[in-house]
Amino acid sequence: MEALQIFRMTLHRFQDAMDAIEDLSSFAEEHAPENIKKSDTFQITIPAPTAGDLPTDRIEAANTALINFFERAAKTMREGSAEELEGERTDNVKASLRELATTMFDELDSASTEEFDAGKYAVDMMYMGRNRSRLEVLRSSLLTTAVGDFEVLFSGIVGMYFFLRPEALMSKEAQFSWQEIQEFESLADLREFHAQRQVDQLMWKGLDDWMDWLEKRLKISFEDIALDPDAVKEVFQRRHVIVHNGGRVSRQYLTKLPQYSAKKVEVGTALTVSAEYLSTALDELYSLGVLMAGSVANRLFRRPDIRSVIHGHLRSDLEARCIKGERWKAAARVSASYVDMFDTEAAKTAMKINYWVAKKNRDGVDAVRKEVAAWDVSSLRDEFRLARMLLLDQFEDAFPLASSLGERGDLEANEYLHGPLYEGLRGWAESQGLKGPFSEKEQARIAEIAEIVEEGVRKDRNIHEQGELDD
């Protein structure tokens, strides 16, 4: 049971970290002040030369040519962006910029003499630096944190593997000095030290080596547990260049990702972390981490009672974190894998429903219509008949059945009110002026609970606002 606790703690820590990063990112995007949200700007620094080195009047003329160009170019770009937002054509922007550049070069030529080349001075002395928006700085930090949390998850999984399979530590290559052996009070302590050393040595390596380890030790393929293996590799390499190369493409980045070399991405190119990129990266890491942990546990735990507990945790985590959290891409991938992983037919069917819910929300009802329509529910319970109707948007037929289930207590009010499967039915019922598929007594209880929750939110808000006033 200790190993089961290790598994749950390790997986939940990773999931909590991914949820926290997602929440922080969403909050920042929604509530950041405009000066933090604003797009990247460029800072132009033109340092003055040391007195006596170069002709001052020519320096001033060259500086003026440069400043005029950038000010006029910035104005042109702003006007072009405004036209684009209004739906007008902006083909003249490039032509305007070329004209401004020609003017600048003419002015630099005019400022040049036989002894002073104003164009060379401009190249040598001008520095144009990119001021990144603070939100992008935050996203870059969140990306590195997310990758770090995945590393912690993998470390915990490797530790769990050696805990459950101590025979894997037996190797002719393992060597200990007599001094090292004397430091341990028991063989168990020495074994624990050896296991941790194996984990540490593996963690010094990279993603490719980790996935090779899973393949060799547990027959778990990287391709079977990743949303997009190439995308995951790119996330790890982008984190590497953010940490070690100032966010610019390195030769290692291109070596590890040859597909980007083919796209003619050059060394030194700045890699940004947009809100969309971070969201996609979190989906990739979340799916890989959860499926990796689940697949390892599925290999290591063979007792039916423990497997049942693990599958229950995986299912509840999926529904609470992925489905209700509307991580549709990750939810679809994880659900599809659980269909093959889980042991009982009931669990497999629940995962099929989750898969269809996620796919429908991501791609629309037509993406699942054929599969769901072919699903034979004639011999299944009413709950599954209702799920089929809801997935196909057959709300008029679904509402009476949902009402029947609600009266019998087979449909929970919380699931109906908050479950993504019932979202369409809730909207349809409201449009028809219907209160919900529950008895009047149950409806009154739901309304009472909702009022209590709303009152609590109101009180919290008042306390918060009063605190701000006091400050």
Side-chain angles (χ1 to χ4, degrees), residues 77-106:
M77 293 298 294
R78 284 195 299 271
E79 292 173 349
S81 297
E83 290 174 2
E84 187 174 0
L85 288 173
E86 293 172 3
E88 299 178 12
R89 294 180 59 81
T90 57
D91 294 341
N92 62 333
V93 171
K94 290 184 179 180
S96 297
L97 291 175
R98 282 195 294 269
E99 185 177 336
L100 289 174
T102 299
T103 301
M104 177 186 67
F105 292 134
D106 289 342

Side-chain angles (χ1 to χ4, degrees), residues 408-423:
R408 295 188 338 230
D410 292 331
L411 173 60
E412 294 183 6
N414 183 61
E415 184 62 24
Y416 172 77
L417 292 172
H418 304 291
L421 176 62
Y422 298 89
E423 182 177 1

Side-chain angles (χ1 to χ4, degrees), residues 43-329:
Q43 176 184 4
I44 304 155
T45 305
I46 307 173
T50 305
D53 287 351
L54 297 170
T56 303
D57 58 335
R58 301 294 178 177
I59 292 296
E60 290 177 355
N63 286 350
T64 299
L66 289 171
I67 292 171
N68 285 342
F69 169 76
F70 284 111
E71 287 180 348
R72 293 165 183 166
K75 181 181 178 182
T76 299
M77 293 298 294
R78 284 195 299 271
E79 292 173 349
S81 297
E83 290 174 2
E84 187 174 0
L85 288 173
E86 293 172 3
E88 299 178 12
R89 294 180 59 81
T90 57
D91 294 341
N92 62 333
V93 171
K94 290 184 179 180
S96 297
L97 291 175
R98 282 195 294 269
E99 185 177 336
L100 289 174
T102 299
T103 301
M104 177 186 67
F105 292 134
D106 289 342
E107 291 174 354
L108 289 173
D109 284 341
S110 298
S112 299
T113 65
E114 291 184 4
E115 293 79 20
F116 174 67
D117 186 339
K120 184 177 184 304
Y121 163 81
V123 173
D124 291 344
M125 301 301 290
M126 185 188 72
Y127 169 79
M128 187 170 70
R130 174 170 172 264
N131 287 334
R132 292 191 299 163
S133 70
R134 296 179 196 175
L135 272 182
E136 194 205 323
V137 175
L138 174 63
R139 292 187 211 109
S140 296
S141 297
L142 292 177
L143 181 69
T144 61
T145 300
V147 173
D149 283 309
F150 178 89
E151 293 175 354
V152 173
L153 171 68
F154 183 75
S155 173
I157 286 174
V158 176
M160 182 179 72
Y161 168 81
F162 285 122
F163 179 83
L164 288 170
R165 293 191 177 176
E167 68 275 10
L169 294 169
M170 297 178 185
S171 169
K172 296 178 181 178
E173 291 149 10
Q175 294 182 356
F176 298 92
S177 66
W178 179 247
Q179 182 178 355
E180 286 178 319
I181 295 174
Q182 286 183 312
E183 292 177 359
F184 299 96
E185 295 182 0
S186 66
L187 183 61
D189 290 341
L190 177 60
R191 185 184 296 113
E192 182 178 347
F193 168 79
H194 181 37
Q196 188 57 53
R197 187 164 70 172
Q198 293 294 308
V199 174
D200 292 342
Q201 289 174 352
L202 181 59
M203 293 310 299
W204 276 107
K205 300 178 181 180
L207 178 67
D208 291 340
D209 295 299
W210 301 344
M211 296 302 106
D212 285 344
W213 184 89
L214 282 176
E215 178 76 50
K216 291 175 181 176
R217 296 276 184 164
L218 291 164
K219 308 301 181 187
I220 296 173
S221 167
F222 180 34
E223 287 71 20
D224 289 341
I225 59 174
L227 260 175
D228 182 340
D230 288 340
V232 173
K233 291 179 181 179
E234 198 281 332
V235 169
F236 275 79
Q237 289 306 311
R238 186 167 302 214
R239 176 262 182 193
H240 185 81
V241 299
I242 288 171
V243 173
H244 300 290
N245 206 42
R248 295 186 176 275
V249 171
S250 63
R251 295 197 181 280
Q252 176 180 313
Y253 179 92
L254 296 179
T255 300
K256 293 280 188 178
L257 305 168
Q259 67 270 33
Y260 288 89
S261 297
K263 294 179 182 178
K264 302 190 182 304
V265 175
E266 297 180 353
V267 171
T269 301
L271 296 176
T272 59
V273 179
S274 65
E276 182 181 3
Y277 178 90
L278 180 60
S279 178
T280 300
L282 291 176
D283 273 346
E284 295 289 349
L285 292 172
Y286 187 90
S287 300
L288 179 63
V290 169
L291 286 180
M292 177 178 66
S295 298
V296 170
N298 220 43
R299 293 283 197 281
L300 294 179
F301 295 100
R302 306 310 303 169
R303 277 176 47 184
D305 56 337
I306 294 181
R307 288 174 65 83
S308 177
V309 171
I310 288 174
H311 293 168
H313 281 301
L314 293 175
R315 174 181 172 179
S316 62
D317 283 346
L318 169 71
E319 293 171 350
R321 295 175 185 267
C322 255
I323 299 291
K324 291 185 179 177
E326 298 185 358
R327 279 195 179 117
W328 302 126
K329 188 176 181 181

